[in-house]
Amino acid sequence: NNKELLTMKNQIHVLENKVNHRQMQGIIITTEGGKVIAIDGGRGENADYMIEYLKEITGQAIPVVDAWFLTHAHNDHLPAFFEIIQNRASEVVIGTIFYNLPSIQYYTRIPGEEDNDGAETTRKFFELLPIFADRVCLASGGDVYEIGDAKFEILYSAETDIETNICNNASLVFKMTLG
């Protein structure tokens, strides 16, 4: 029910993959003060659903996302954001983009621990960065950001000395307090 969704504030919406039911992560947070925050977004094929869901919960033809957090470079997290920023930018207004991705070389430096998925997704991020460079914020451990009624405390950002499960262990980790 659209009317019911519009009245939900200080809510966390965990999106499901409506396309093919493969693993993905896309989260939308709405605050009491009317702010909208996205986390990751899922695979490229999830972009349509993400946009439609944003329209539904905001009631806006062109939804405004005040902040978008990108956690790490696996292809079930960032490609929907890539699709939106590259090909659908006129359909969503995006404010600040928070991230902290390691270099492409990070993913291939340890024999046996290569993460080609992470390297390829990171390569795509840096390829597209000029499109949105004026909106980025490099988030680091210890930083605190307040977006309306949501407070994000950055607990951890990429450390290149970790040598196992390198893409997941390079995640941007935060604690969110909502309302």
Side-chain angles (χ1 to χ4, degrees), residues 108-137:
T108 57
R109 68 188 170 88
I110 303 167
E113 277 295 322
E114 300 92 353
D115 190 320
N116 294 327
D117 177 30
E120 186 53 39
T121 304
T122 299
R123 183 175 286 107
K124 183 71 171 179
F125 175 85
F126 286 114
E127 175 188 309
L128 296 176
L129 183 58
I131 296 171
F132 57 92
D134 60 330
R135 293 176 270 170
V136 299
C137 179

Side-chain angles (χ1 to χ4, degrees), residues 3-160:
K3 194 171 225 161
E4 182 180 303
L5 286 171
L6 291 173
T7 61
M8 295 193 317
K9 303 295 181 193
N10 288 345
Q11 296 287 317
I12 301 169
H13 309 262
V14 179
L15 305 181
E16 51 185 307
N17 189 336
K18 298 265 186 177
V19 178
N20 57 23
H21 305 289
R22 292 171 60 198
Q23 175 177 310
M24 58 80 77
Q25 178 169 303
I27 298 171
I28 301 170
I29 298 155
T30 56
T31 73
E32 185 75 31
K35 299 291 184 184
V36 176
I37 302 154
I39 300 171
D40 293 340
R43 299 174 184 278
E45 64 261 20
N46 302 124
D48 284 342
Y49 179 56
M50 182 103 181
I51 292 169
E52 289 308 311
Y53 199 92
L54 284 164
K55 287 178 181 180
E56 191 173 351
I57 64 173
T58 64
Q60 301 167 333
I62 300 175
V64 175
V65 176
D66 299 283
W68 201 308
F69 285 83
L70 304 175
T71 64
H72 69 286
H74 271 142
N75 68 7
D76 60 333
H77 288 257
L78 304 189
F81 169 79
F82 296 160
E83 173 63 22
I84 292 168
I85 206 81
Q86 183 176 23
N87 300 316
R88 316 274 301 271
S90 65
E91 297 178 54
V92 180
V93 175
I94 300 173
T96 306
I97 300 158
F98 296 87
Y99 81 101
N100 194 333
L101 298 178
S103 69
I104 296 164
Q105 292 77 15
Y106 167 82
Y107 297 99
T108 57
R109 68 188 170 88
I110 303 167
E113 277 295 322
E114 300 92 353
D115 190 320
N116 294 327
D117 177 30
E120 186 53 39
T121 304
T122 299
R123 183 175 286 107
K124 183 71 171 179
F125 175 85
F126 286 114
E127 175 188 309
L128 296 176
L129 183 58
I131 296 171
F132 57 92
D134 60 330
R135 293 176 270 170
V136 299
C137 179
L138 186 62
S140 296
D143 292 351
V144 176
Y145 303 101
E146 293 190 22
I147 301 145
D149 300 307
K151 178 180 176 182
F152 290 83
E153 298 172 69
I154 308 301
L155 303 177
Y156 177 85
S157 55
E159 290 184 26
T160 56

